[in-house]
């Protein structure tokens, strides 16, 4: 490919066709610079997660995240991406109240960010109705089952789901409901590997795991976690692929030393 040629953008069809053939790589991003970098690294999907509330804003949960915030971050990410498919999380209470709300808010996200899809959590009949309406309106939807962060209060905290008797069957039922409603892919969060494997085998759409073992059709991680920007956050499923917290402290510390020692700015960095 020549430098002037734009890479072909990844579509819903590409993601669906990867199931059983090639692992799908998904990563979160919240701003244009990181979006550009992860796109250049060759990921398939960039998720503008409502984890922005925890990761960027320091909120204890995702519940406070608003439509305006998701649109602001979604639009920034889309401006940085030329190849990957960009999915924007629908925030808490933007789709739970009614199908009309879900359609209006998903429509706003698509129009105001230029993203390619939205993601919603849950697998009951109400959520399936929302997914069906959005898909029929031309909006691709990614589902999200297992630990669903917007339900942290009913789930009793940040914990692995699917360990109790009957949980695997319930998750399979929900996954099929989400698939039949029209979702094109499905995040499985914090579920035992065996359960994720069974769910993955039970549906035709690709599953994308986080803390769900190696047998999903793809994997997603929160970018700042993967980069080790929060060195105190190390849940069992997470692998740090860099140690940027130490790098950032060291770089800023050296800047501070240079300023205090009168070494920066020197003649080379002055007009
Ligand atoms: O909000 C988010 O970042 C997510 C991923 C953890 C899947 O939903």
């Amino acid at each position: 490919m020549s430098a002037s040629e734009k890479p072909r953008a990844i579509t819903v069809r590409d993601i669906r066709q990867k199931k059983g053939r090639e692992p799908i790589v998904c990563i979160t991003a919240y701003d244009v610079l990181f979006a550009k970098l992860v796109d250049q690294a060759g990921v398939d999907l960039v998720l503008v997660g409502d984890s922005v509330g925890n990761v960027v804003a320091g909120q204890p949960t995702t519940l406070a995240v608003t439509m305006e915030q998701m649109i602001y971050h979604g639009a920034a990410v889309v401006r940085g991406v030329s190849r990957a498919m960009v999915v924007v999380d629908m925030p808490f209470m933007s789709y739970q109240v009614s199908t009309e709300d879900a359609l209006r808010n998903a429509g706003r996200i698509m129009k105001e960010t230029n993203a390619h899809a939205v993601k919603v959590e849950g697998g009951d009949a109400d959520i399936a109705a929302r997914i069906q309406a959005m898909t029929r309106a031309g909006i691709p939807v990614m589902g999200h089952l297992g630990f669903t962060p917007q339900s942290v209060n009913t789930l009793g905290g940040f914990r692995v789901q699917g360990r109790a008797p009957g949980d695997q069957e319930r998750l399979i039922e929900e996954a099929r409901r989400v698939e039949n409603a029209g979702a094109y892919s499905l995040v499985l969060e914090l579920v035992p590997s065996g359960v994720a494997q069974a769910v993955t085998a039970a549906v035709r759409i690709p599953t994308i795991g986080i803390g769900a073992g190696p047998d999903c059709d793809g994997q997603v991680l929160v970018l700042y976690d993967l980069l080790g920007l929060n060195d105190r956050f190390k849940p069992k499923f997470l692998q740090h692929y860099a140690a940027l917290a130490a790098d950032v402290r060291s770089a800023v510390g050296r800047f501070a030393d240079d300023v205090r020692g009168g070494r920066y700015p020197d003649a080379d960095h002055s007009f």
Side-chain angles (χ1 to χ4, degrees):
M1 189 175 67
S2 76
S4 60
E5 247 179 280
K6 264 188 86 175
R8 185 176 78 74
I10 294 179
T11 66
V12 166
R13 238 174 127 236
D14 298 319
I15 298 298
R16 293 184 80 121
Q17 284 177 351
K18 284 181 190 287
K19 187 175 176 84
R21 294 201 176 102
E22 191 190 337
I24 297 164
V25 181
C26 179
I27 190 81
T28 69
Y30 316 110
D31 66 75
V32 65
L33 275 181
F34 272 125
K36 198 171 282 183
L37 292 174
V38 302
D39 195 43
Q40 287 167 352
V43 301
D44 301 305
L45 291 161
V46 180
L47 172 65
V48 188
D50 58 356
S51 53
V52 67
N54 311 85
V55 176
V56 173
Q59 303 274 7
T61 70
T62 58
L63 302 197
V65 175
T66 64
M67 276 291 294
E68 273 59 38
Q69 289 163 354
M70 292 312 300
I71 286 171
Y72 176 83
H73 289 283
V77 166
V78 169
R79 286 193 283 270
V81 169
S82 49
R83 177 180 171 273
M85 180 167 193
V86 180
V87 184
V88 175
D89 255 338
M90 294 193 68
F92 182 55
M93 283 298 137
S94 69
Y95 60 94
Q96 284 90 344
V97 176
S98 69
T99 297
E100 202 179 309
D101 255 14
L103 271 177
R104 190 177 304 111
N105 286 320
R108 269 197 73 196
I109 289 174
M110 299 297 281
K111 278 171 176 280
E112 296 178 37
T113 69
N114 279 323
H116 311 114
V118 298
K119 176 164 80 59
V120 296
E121 298 180 6
D124 65 15
D126 287 342
I127 298 298
R130 316 289 190 257
I131 294 173
Q132 187 172 61
M134 290 188 277
T135 309
R136 282 188 177 159
I139 301 171
V141 182
M142 175 183 275
H144 186 153
L145 295 175
F147 175 70
T148 43
Q150 293 176 10
S151 303
V152 61
N153 292 311
T154 45
L155 295 176
F158 295 84
R159 40 193 321 136
V160 175
Q161 303 295 308
R163 284 182 159 149
D167 277 357
Q168 176 168 308
E169 291 66 32
R170 181 184 49 80
L171 269 171
I172 288 176
E173 193 181 315
E174 289 180 352
R176 287 188 171 138
R177 195 178 289 130
V178 165
E179 173 182 31
N180 291 334
Y184 78 98
S185 61
L186 174 62
V187 167
L188 292 177
E189 180 164 356
L190 291 186
V191 293
S193 303
V195 174
Q197 186 181 34
V199 174
T200 299
V203 292
R204 292 177 308 269
I205 54 173
T207 60
I208 300 171
I210 175 164
D215 297 310
C216 295
D217 299 301
Q219 297 292 329
V220 55
L221 281 178
V222 169
L223 178 64
Y224 290 17
D225 296 346
L226 170 161
L227 294 178
L229 269 166
N230 180 356
D231 47 10
R232 280 179 302 184
F233 185 65
K234 186 75 177 68
K236 181 173 160 64
F237 68 82
L238 174 63
Q239 169 143 345
H240 286 159
Y241 284 88
L244 291 199
D247 287 352
V248 170
R249 277 193 290 265
S250 158
V252 177
R254 284 184 288 120
F255 165 64
D257 286 348
D258 281 353
V259 170
R260 291 181 185 128
R263 291 180 298 279
Y264 180 84
D266 56 11
D268 287 348
H269 296 94
S270 302
F271 300 103

